[in-house]
Amino acid sequence: MKKQNLPSNTFYFEGGIKSLVGHYNVNNKPANPNIFSFTKTIGDVHVGVALQYVDDFNSTVLAFANSIYNPNGGTHVTGFKTALTRTINSYEKEKNITKEKEVFSGDDVIEGITAVITIAMPEIQFEGQTKAKLGSVEAKGIVEKSFAEEFTGFLEENPIDAKAILNKISLALKARKAAKSAKEGVLRKGVLEGLTLPGKLTDCQSKDPSISEIFIVEGDSAGGTARGGRARDTQAVLPIRGKILNVWRSRDDKIFANEEVKSIAVALGCGIKEDINIEKLRYHKIIIATDADVDGAHITTLLLTLFFQFFKKLIEGGYVYIAQPPLYKIKSGKKVEYAYTDKQRDKVLDKFNNDPKIDVQRYKGLGEMNKEELWETTMDPSNRTLKQITMDDVIKAKETFDTLMGSDAFGRKKFIEENAEFAEIDI
């Protein structure tokens, strides 16, 4: 049988996975100057890893198998993390750069890393139909062995990079120990002390999470109005103090010590990060209700950053919402309408144009509303507008938070200037 010459396409990207790491780190300050990378062919298997640490607390680990992106990782990522932890600890034990007496954990060595792991195999197995996670057992050993050999050589040949990486990881260890103590304090307060709820929380009467909801509102004034206008049986209110901590730029120990963060964590009752237990969540609707202005939008963004970092499972489960309060109250005689945008206000004004005594009230905040107005427009389930927070792409979401909430002010300004005219909230 004559062999057919089938059509083929070759895709090439200058720099490969090393350039991909550089792309993801463009808005971050590198901790070590040189990007480590290697590609190797072992029999009929092709494997490659690239990484660089940055002056940040978040990590980005991208995994590919046979050019398919694996958002849930898999055996190749397991092999990489095992080798990374072992290699770092072996190098520190030999060189004693940081003089740490404790062994670095997997969490320590992964903090602030941007890494790409890729493998190509003739026979490959994924877990599930979506190919989101690699299941091939042999991939773990291949990546683990080859990466350990290459990364050990890199550390030996690049002492400046090695010292920077070890110092970065040493800081992560110290922060982890401090954060563990603070985190245990938050969890202990919520679990071991019989759920001692925050003093500012006005809880609902219902103990059924499926019908219970909590409004996180901005300031004591809005909190007082919301408490007066709520449905006491199913609606709880937790006021927070203005603009909370930007958790994207803070270490865990500082975050867990923050009173506003602790209040939210204890009120929800479900734990933090990997310790989250949805069965213990006290409210199945978590509603962020801030003023309908720029400052309110900033506070909403800060709260969404907190939920993305520490309560991601609640976003993934569809429990987080944003309330939409009105900007204007427009009164014409006995007729009252609310407008949520300037455009809506103008339409209502056109409708009432013949009335010389029309009254337009611009709300400066939720606290300016009386309890009846807040209930009617923002809290009444039969009349309110809620926007549910969804997240289809974790990596894209992280990139957006990194741009908007990270330390690169120039990159953020550039992003806003380039995209302001296209801005559209899609929640």
PDB file of all heavy atoms in Angstrom, residues 88-111:
ATOM      1  N   ILE A  88      15.284  21.891  45.921  1.00  0.00           N
ATOM      2  CA  ILE A  88      15.525  23.106  46.704  1.00  0.00           C
ATOM      3  C   ILE A  88      16.056  22.750  48.087  1.00  0.00           C
ATOM      4  O   ILE A  88      17.028  23.346  48.581  1.00  0.00           O
ATOM      5  CB  ILE A  88      14.238  23.945  46.831  1.00  0.00           C
ATOM      6  CG1 ILE A  88      13.874  24.578  45.487  1.00  0.00           C
ATOM      7  CG2 ILE A  88      14.380  25.010  47.920  1.00  0.00           C
ATOM      8  CD1 ILE A  88      14.822  25.639  45.011  1.00  0.00           C
ATOM      9  N   ASN A  89      15.440  21.779  48.729  1.00  0.00           N
ATOM     10  CA  ASN A  89      15.887  21.386  50.072  1.00  0.00           C
ATOM     11  C   ASN A  89      17.280  20.775  50.050  1.00  0.00           C
ATOM     12  O   ASN A  89      18.094  21.032  50.954  1.00  0.00           O
ATOM     13  CB  ASN A  89      14.877  20.414  50.691  1.00  0.00           C
ATOM     14  CG  ASN A  89      13.704  21.132  51.332  1.00  0.00           C
ATOM     15  OD1 ASN A  89      13.851  21.917  52.253  1.00  0.00           O
ATOM     16  ND2 ASN A  89      12.511  20.863  50.815  1.00  0.00           N
ATOM     17  N   SER A  90      17.581  19.990  49.033  1.00  0.00           N
ATOM     18  CA  SER A  90      18.916  19.391  48.924  1.00  0.00           C
ATOM     19  C   SER A  90      19.983  20.460  48.723  1.00  0.00           C
ATOM     20  O   SER A  90      21.066  20.410  49.327  1.00  0.00           O
ATOM     21  CB  SER A  90      18.948  18.394  47.762  1.00  0.00           C
ATOM     22  OG  SER A  90      18.075  17.318  47.997  1.00  0.00           O
ATOM     23  N   TYR A  91      19.675  21.430  47.885  1.00  0.00           N
ATOM     24  CA  TYR A  91      20.631  22.498  47.613  1.00  0.00           C
ATOM     25  C   TYR A  91      20.867  23.344  48.865  1.00  0.00           C
ATOM     26  O   TYR A  91      22.007  23.698  49.188  1.00  0.00           O
ATOM     27  CB  TYR A  91      20.118  23.372  46.468  1.00  0.00           C
ATOM     28  CG  TYR A  91      21.128  24.372  45.975  1.00  0.00           C
ATOM     29  CD1 TYR A  91      22.111  24.010  45.061  1.00  0.00           C
ATOM     30  CD2 TYR A  91      21.098  25.690  46.428  1.00  0.00           C
ATOM     31  CE1 TYR A  91      23.051  24.930  44.602  1.00  0.00           C
ATOM     32  CE2 TYR A  91      22.039  26.621  45.981  1.00  0.00           C
ATOM     33  CZ  TYR A  91      23.006  26.230  45.074  1.00  0.00           C
ATOM     34  OH  TYR A  91      23.941  27.136  44.635  1.00  0.00           O
ATOM     35  N   GLU A  92      19.798  23.674  49.589  1.00  0.00           N
ATOM     36  CA  GLU A  92      19.942  24.459  50.818  1.00  0.00           C
ATOM     37  C   GLU A  92      20.727  23.690  51.871  1.00  0.00           C
ATOM     38  O   GLU A  92      21.562  24.259  52.582  1.00  0.00           O
ATOM     39  CB  GLU A  92      18.547  24.833  51.350  1.00  0.00           C
ATOM     40  CG  GLU A  92      18.533  25.398  52.767  1.00  0.00           C
ATOM     41  CD  GLU A  92      19.320  26.687  52.921  1.00  0.00           C
ATOM     42  OE1 GLU A  92      19.617  27.365  51.909  1.00  0.00           O
ATOM     43  OE2 GLU A  92      19.657  27.030  54.083  1.00  0.00           O
ATOM     44  N   LYS A  93      20.477  22.387  51.974  1.00  0.00           N
ATOM     45  CA  LYS A  93      21.194  21.574  52.952  1.00  0.00           C
ATOM     46  C   LYS A  93      22.685  21.553  52.656  1.00  0.00           C
ATOM     47  O   LYS A  93      23.523  21.601  53.578  1.00  0.00           O
ATOM     48  CB  LYS A  93      20.632  20.149  52.952  1.00  0.00           C
ATOM     49  CG  LYS A  93      21.234  19.246  54.014  1.00  0.00           C
ATOM     50  CD  LYS A  93      20.577  17.878  53.987  1.00  0.00           C
ATOM     51  CE  LYS A  93      21.175  16.974  55.066  1.00  0.00           C
ATOM     52  NZ  LYS A  93      20.532  15.618  55.041  1.00  0.00           N
ATOM     53  N   GLU A  94      23.012  21.520  51.376  1.00  0.00           N
ATOM     54  CA  GLU A  94      24.425  21.471  50.982  1.00  0.00           C
ATOM     55  C   GLU A  94      25.102  22.837  51.131  1.00  0.00           C
ATOM     56  O   GLU A  94      26.210  22.944  51.656  1.00  0.00           O
ATOM     57  CB  GLU A  94      24.538  21.008  49.529  1.00  0.00           C
ATOM     58  CG  GLU A  94      25.965  20.971  49.012  1.00  0.00           C
ATOM     59  CD  GLU A  94      26.025  20.649  47.528  1.00  0.00           C
ATOM     60  OE1 GLU A  94      24.989  20.258  46.959  1.00  0.00           O
ATOM     61  OE2 GLU A  94      27.115  20.805  46.943  1.00  0.00           O
ATOM     62  N   LYS A  95      24.431  23.909  50.713  1.00  0.00           N
ATOM     63  CA  LYS A  95      25.052  25.233  50.671  1.00  0.00           C
ATOM     64  C   LYS A  95      24.780  26.077  51.924  1.00  0.00           C
ATOM     65  O   LYS A  95      25.539  27.006  52.222  1.00  0.00           O
ATOM     66  CB  LYS A  95      24.555  26.002  49.438  1.00  0.00           C
ATOM     67  CG  LYS A  95      24.740  25.272  48.123  1.00  0.00           C
ATOM     68  CD  LYS A  95      26.197  25.095  47.763  1.00  0.00           C
ATOM     69  CE  LYS A  95      26.341  24.449  46.374  1.00  0.00           C
ATOM     70  NZ  LYS A  95      27.754  24.235  45.998  1.00  0.00           N
ATOM     71  N   ASN A  96      23.671  25.792  52.594  1.00  0.00           N
ATOM     72  CA  ASN A  96      23.294  26.527  53.820  1.00  0.00           C
ATOM     73  C   ASN A  96      23.226  28.039  53.568  1.00  0.00           C
ATOM     74  O   ASN A  96      23.735  28.846  54.353  1.00  0.00           O
ATOM     75  CB  ASN A  96      24.280  26.230  54.947  1.00  0.00           C
ATOM     76  CG  ASN A  96      23.717  26.608  56.313  1.00  0.00           C
ATOM     77  OD1 ASN A  96      22.488  26.618  56.504  1.00  0.00           O
ATOM     78  ND2 ASN A  96      24.589  26.918  57.257  1.00  0.00           N
ATOM     79  N   ILE A  97      22.563  28.419  52.490  1.00  0.00           N
ATOM     80  CA  ILE A  97      22.488  29.832  52.097  1.00  0.00           C
ATOM     81  C   ILE A  97      21.639  30.639  53.073  1.00  0.00           C
ATOM     82  O   ILE A  97      22.018  31.723  53.509  1.00  0.00           O
ATOM     83  CB  ILE A  97      21.925  29.955  50.660  1.00  0.00           C
ATOM     84  CG1 ILE A  97      22.957  29.410  49.663  1.00  0.00           C
ATOM     85  CG2 ILE A  97      21.574  31.402  50.326  1.00  0.00           C
ATOM     86  CD1 ILE A  97      22.470  29.355  48.246  1.00  0.00           C
ATOM     87  N   THR A  98      20.477  30.112  53.415  1.00  0.00           N
ATOM     88  CA  THR A  98      19.554  30.861  54.281  1.00  0.00           C
ATOM     89  C   THR A  98      19.694  30.494  55.755  1.00  0.00           C
ATOM     90  O   THR A  98      19.113  31.151  56.611  1.00  0.00           O
ATOM     91  CB  THR A  98      18.094  30.610  53.857  1.00  0.00           C
ATOM     92  OG1 THR A  98      17.750  29.240  54.113  1.00  0.00           O
ATOM     93  CG2 THR A  98      17.897  30.905  52.389  1.00  0.00           C
ATOM     94  N   LYS A  99      20.437  29.407  56.014  1.00  0.00           N
ATOM     95  CA  LYS A  99      20.635  28.930  57.391  1.00  0.00           C
ATOM     96  C   LYS A  99      19.324  28.575  58.094  1.00  0.00           C
ATOM     97  O   LYS A  99      19.197  28.683  59.320  1.00  0.00           O
ATOM     98  CB  LYS A  99      21.420  29.963  58.220  1.00  0.00           C
ATOM     99  CG  LYS A  99      22.822  30.225  57.673  1.00  0.00           C
ATOM    100  CD  LYS A  99      23.537  31.278  58.483  1.00  0.00           C
ATOM    101  CE  LYS A  99      25.008  31.414  58.040  1.00  0.00           C
ATOM    102  NZ  LYS A  99      25.152  31.726  56.612  1.00  0.00           N
ATOM    103  N   GLU A 100      18.331  28.169  57.281  1.00  0.00           N
ATOM    104  CA  GLU A 100      17.060  27.730  57.858  1.00  0.00           C
ATOM    105  C   GLU A 100      17.226  26.351  58.480  1.00  0.00           C
ATOM    106  O   GLU A 100      17.858  25.464  57.903  1.00  0.00           O
ATOM    107  CB  GLU A 100      15.965  27.687  56.787  1.00  0.00           C
ATOM    108  CG  GLU A 100      15.523  29.042  56.278  1.00  0.00           C
ATOM    109  CD  GLU A 100      14.708  29.822  57.288  1.00  0.00           C
ATOM    110  OE1 GLU A 100      14.379  29.268  58.356  1.00  0.00           O
ATOM    111  OE2 GLU A 100      14.421  31.014  57.020  1.00  0.00           O
ATOM    112  N   LYS A 101      16.650  26.174  59.646  1.00  0.00           N
ATOM    113  CA  LYS A 101      16.720  24.883  60.320  1.00  0.00           C
ATOM    114  C   LYS A 101      15.564  23.967  59.915  1.00  0.00           C
ATOM    115  O   LYS A 101      15.628  22.756  60.130  1.00  0.00           O
ATOM    116  CB  LYS A 101      16.720  25.082  61.838  1.00  0.00           C
ATOM    117  CG  LYS A 101      17.944  25.845  62.352  1.00  0.00           C
ATOM    118  CD  LYS A 101      17.888  26.025  63.857  1.00  0.00           C
ATOM    119  CE  LYS A 101      19.110  26.799  64.361  1.00  0.00           C
ATOM    120  NZ  LYS A 101      19.070  27.001  65.836  1.00  0.00           N
ATOM    121  N   GLU A 102      14.525  24.566  59.343  1.00  0.00           N
ATOM    122  CA  GLU A 102      13.363  23.783  58.942  1.00  0.00           C
ATOM    123  C   GLU A 102      13.447  23.413  57.468  1.00  0.00           C
ATOM    124  O   GLU A 102      14.054  24.126  56.657  1.00  0.00           O
ATOM    125  CB  GLU A 102      12.067  24.558  59.204  1.00  0.00           C
ATOM    126  CG  GLU A 102      11.757  24.749  60.680  1.00  0.00           C
ATOM    127  CD  GLU A 102      10.355  25.289  60.877  1.00  0.00           C
ATOM    128  OE1 GLU A 102       9.460  24.903  60.113  1.00  0.00           O
ATOM    129  OE2 GLU A 102      10.168  26.108  61.793  1.00  0.00           O
ATOM    130  N   VAL A 103      12.793  22.327  57.118  1.00  0.00           N
ATOM    131  CA  VAL A 103      12.704  21.905  55.722  1.00  0.00           C
ATOM    132  C   VAL A 103      11.628  22.729  55.026  1.00  0.00           C
ATOM    133  O   VAL A 103      10.551  22.964  55.581  1.00  0.00           O
ATOM    134  CB  VAL A 103      12.365  20.394  55.637  1.00  0.00           C
ATOM    135  CG1 VAL A 103      12.115  19.979  54.201  1.00  0.00           C
ATOM    136  CG2 VAL A 103      13.488  19.573  56.256  1.00  0.00           C
ATOM    137  N   PHE A 104      11.918  23.188  53.809  1.00  0.00           N
ATOM    138  CA  PHE A 104      10.927  23.940  53.048  1.00  0.00           C
ATOM    139  C   PHE A 104       9.791  23.021  52.617  1.00  0.00           C
ATOM    140  O   PHE A 104      10.027  21.897  52.170  1.00  0.00           O
ATOM    141  CB  PHE A 104      11.565  24.579  51.814  1.00  0.00           C
ATOM    142  CG  PHE A 104      12.625  25.594  52.135  1.00  0.00           C
ATOM    143  CD1 PHE A 104      13.913  25.455  51.643  1.00  0.00           C
ATOM    144  CD2 PHE A 104      12.323  26.690  52.928  1.00  0.00           C
ATOM    145  CE1 PHE A 104      14.885  26.392  51.933  1.00  0.00           C
ATOM    146  CE2 PHE A 104      13.298  27.638  53.228  1.00  0.00           C
ATOM    147  CZ  PHE A 104      14.579  27.490  52.727  1.00  0.00           C
ATOM    148  N   SER A 105       8.573  23.519  52.711  1.00  0.00           N
ATOM    149  CA  SER A 105       7.413  22.737  52.295  1.00  0.00           C
ATOM    150  C   SER A 105       7.110  22.985  50.822  1.00  0.00           C
ATOM    151  O   SER A 105       7.678  23.892  50.190  1.00  0.00           O
ATOM    152  CB  SER A 105       6.188  23.119  53.129  1.00  0.00           C
ATOM    153  OG  SER A 105       5.713  24.400  52.746  1.00  0.00           O
ATOM    154  N   GLY A 106       6.197  22.198  50.275  1.00  0.00           N
ATOM    155  CA  GLY A 106       5.766  22.409  48.895  1.00  0.00           C
ATOM    156  C   GLY A 106       5.143  23.774  48.696  1.00  0.00           C
ATOM    157  O   GLY A 106       5.317  24.409  47.645  1.00  0.00           O
ATOM    158  N   ASP A 107       4.413  24.277  49.701  1.00  0.00           N
ATOM    159  CA  ASP A 107       3.819  25.613  49.617  1.00  0.00           C
ATOM    160  C   ASP A 107       4.893  26.693  49.603  1.00  0.00           C
ATOM    161  O   ASP A 107       4.747  27.714  48.927  1.00  0.00           O
ATOM    162  CB  ASP A 107       2.863  25.846  50.792  1.00  0.00           C
ATOM    163  CG  ASP A 107       1.598  25.017  50.691  1.00  0.00           C
ATOM    164  OD1 ASP A 107       1.249  24.616  49.567  1.00  0.00           O
ATOM    165  OD2 ASP A 107       0.957  24.772  51.730  1.00  0.00           O
ATOM    166  N   ASP A 108       5.964  26.486  50.362  1.00  0.00           N
ATOM    167  CA  ASP A 108       7.051  27.472  50.407  1.00  0.00           C
ATOM    168  C   ASP A 108       7.714  27.621  49.038  1.00  0.00           C
ATOM    169  O   ASP A 108       7.934  28.737  48.559  1.00  0.00           O
ATOM    170  CB  ASP A 108       8.113  27.067  51.434  1.00  0.00           C
ATOM    171  CG  ASP A 108       7.579  27.018  52.852  1.00  0.00           C
ATOM    172  OD1 ASP A 108       6.642  27.772  53.151  1.00  0.00           O
ATOM    173  OD2 ASP A 108       8.093  26.209  53.651  1.00  0.00           O
ATOM    174  N   VAL A 109       8.040  26.496  48.417  1.00  0.00           N
ATOM    175  CA  VAL A 109       8.810  26.558  47.174  1.00  0.00           C
ATOM    176  C   VAL A 109       7.967  26.976  45.975  1.00  0.00           C
ATOM    177  O   VAL A 109       8.509  27.374  44.942  1.00  0.00           O
ATOM    178  CB  VAL A 109       9.506  25.200  46.872  1.00  0.00           C
ATOM    179  CG1 VAL A 109      10.412  24.801  48.017  1.00  0.00           C
ATOM    180  CG2 VAL A 109       8.489  24.103  46.581  1.00  0.00           C
ATOM    181  N   ILE A 110       6.659  26.913  46.092  1.00  0.00           N
ATOM    182  CA  ILE A 110       5.792  27.257  44.962  1.00  0.00           C
ATOM    183  C   ILE A 110       5.363  28.718  45.018  1.00  0.00           C
ATOM    184  O   ILE A 110       4.891  29.277  44.021  1.00  0.00           O
ATOM    185  CB  ILE A 110       4.552  26.326  44.919  1.00  0.00           C
ATOM    186  CG1 ILE A 110       4.096  26.093  43.462  1.00  0.00           C
ATOM    187  CG2 ILE A 110       3.425  26.866  45.761  1.00  0.00           C
ATOM    188  CD1 ILE A 110       5.016  25.226  42.653  1.00  0.00           C
ATOM    189  N   GLU A 111       5.536  29.383  46.191  1.00  0.00           N
ATOM    190  CA  GLU A 111       5.072  30.769  46.318  1.00  0.00           C
ATOM    191  C   GLU A 111       5.862  31.689  45.398  1.00  0.00           C
ATOM    192  O   GLU A 111       7.085  31.707  45.392  1.00  0.00           O
ATOM    193  CB  GLU A 111       5.211  31.256  47.766  1.00  0.00           C
ATOM    194  CG  GLU A 111       4.691  32.677  47.960  1.00  0.00           C
ATOM    195  CD  GLU A 111       4.854  33.194  49.374  1.00  0.00           C
ATOM    196  OE1 GLU A 111       4.195  32.648  50.277  1.00  0.00           O
ATOM    197  OE2 GLU A 111       5.640  34.145  49.570  1.00  0.00           O
TER     198      GLU A 111
END
